Amino acid sequence: MAAAPDLLFRTLADPTRRAIFERLCREGEQTVGALTMRSGVSQPAVSKHLGALKQAGLVRDRHEGRQTHYSARPGALNPLIDWTSQMAGFWQKRLDALDDLLKRMDQ
Amino acid sequence: MAAAPDLLFRTLADPTRRAIFERLCREGEQTVGALTMRSGVSQPAVSKHLGALKQAGLVRDRHEGRQTHYSARPGALNPLIDWTSQMAGFWQKRLDALDDLLKRMDQ
DNA sequence: TTAATTCATAACCGTTGAGTTATGGATGAG
DNA sequence: CTCATCCATAACTCAACGGTTATGAATTAA
């Protein structure tokens, strides 16, 4: 089994964490403090979520003085896109096979 | 926040469950017994996973005698595709805005 | 230097969830 | 009818995880 989709799915499964990632995608780079503001959870919780996102390769961090700026890395979503395409592909393949069979029976 | 991606991410986050879904995509309809065979877990565990997949709309079941056949419903992956596209879209949008800004500064 | 701010880590707690065994209902076989 | 098979549900256990408060390291301000 592919390891990349696994970590991505696990990381994005949590709503709070996914919301943080979404904000970074929508609005670009943010400090931990800014993210904590409207996250609904405490600052340590946000830091832990950011750590998880970073480990999954979904965000990068940039230190500037005593602030840490986080930004999304959308390229990290590629394994997810690949996985879904593959699943859809399998489906289509089997549909085509069925189509072939029906056509052959039709003759 | 959209509720559809949430359930999908949560449901697909578990490796065992995702493996079952993958098998159904690859090989088409399967009985619970057949799925249990190579799943590595007990039959009740498989039944629970199938229940979760069904509740997420990822599979459908068809009763035939004392067997239950499950099959994947790849259309259920659409919200996931939409979500990833949206995230990538936000990213692209901000890139474009930056591009515009640079072009205007260039004059 | 002292005080305040920003973030990360540690330690802990409660909940969630994936796994198990046990069991029962429904269907098919003999 | 009786027995075996297939699946789902119940009840339980245990680990993982998301949240909290407490604390400390690093940086900026006074």
Side-chain angles (χ1 to χ4, degrees):
Chain A
M1 346 152 198
D6 191 277
L7 187 56
L8 285 182
F9 274 118
R10 261 212 326 261
T11 305
L12 293 172
D14 182 72
T16 306
R17 191 157 49 223
R18 198 173 57 254
I20 291 176
F21 179 70
E22 288 184 16
R23 280 199 58 194
L24 290 176
C25 285
R26 290 176 190 268
E27 310 166 15
E29 198 179 68
Q30 308 262 341
T31 68
V32 177
L35 290 170
T36 301
M37 287 295 213
R38 305 185 214 163
S39 68
V41 296
S42 66
Q43 172 267 313
V46 172
S47 273
K48 286 209 318 193
H49 283 306
L50 288 169
L53 289 169
K54 182 181 173 185
Q55 194 168 359
L58 286 163
V59 301
R60 46 189 315 269
D61 58 346
R62 180 175 65 84
H63 296 277
E64 183 181 332
R66 58 186 167 185
Q67 312 206 24
T68 311
H69 298 260
Y70 283 88
S71 53
R73 295 189 13 175
L77 290 178
N78 287 345
L80 222 157
I81 297 175
D82 294 344
W83 183 86
T84 49
S85 311
Q86 208 181 9
M87 291 308 116
F90 290 140
W91 181 258
Q92 190 58 44
K93 203 166 187 176
R94 294 210 331 284
L95 270 190
D96 292 349
L98 178 62
D99 197 44
D100 273 10
L101 180 64
L102 289 178
K103 271 182 182 163
R104 256 176 281 135
M105 285 179 59
D106 206 24
Q107 295 178 351
Chain B
M1 345 148 201
D6 191 278
L7 187 55
L8 285 183
F9 274 117
R10 261 211 327 258
T11 305
L12 293 172
D14 182 73
T16 306
R17 191 157 51 221
R18 199 173 57 255
I20 292 176
F21 178 70
E22 287 184 16
R23 281 199 57 194
L24 290 176
C25 285
R26 288 177 192 268
E27 311 166 14
E29 197 179 68
Q30 307 262 343
T31 69
V32 176
L35 290 170
T36 301
M37 287 295 212
R38 305 185 215 164
S39 69
V41 296
S42 66
Q43 173 266 313
V46 172
S47 273
K48 285 209 318 191
H49 283 307
L50 288 170
L53 288 169
K54 182 180 172 185
Q55 194 166 2
L58 286 163
V59 301
R60 43 190 317 268
D61 58 345
R62 179 176 67 84
H63 297 277
E64 182 181 332
R66 57 186 168 185
Q67 311 205 21
T68 310
H69 298 260
Y70 282 87
S71 54
R73 297 189 12 175
L77 290 177
N78 286 343
L80 220 157
I81 297 175
D82 293 345
W83 184 86
T84 50
S85 312
Q86 208 181 10
M87 291 308 117
F90 290 141
W91 181 260
Q92 191 58 43
K93 203 166 186 175
R94 294 209 332 281
L95 270 192
D96 291 349
L98 178 61
D99 198 46
D100 274 11
L101 181 62
L102 289 179
K103 273 183 183 164
R104 256 176 279 135
M105 285 179 59
D106 206 25
Q107 296 177 351

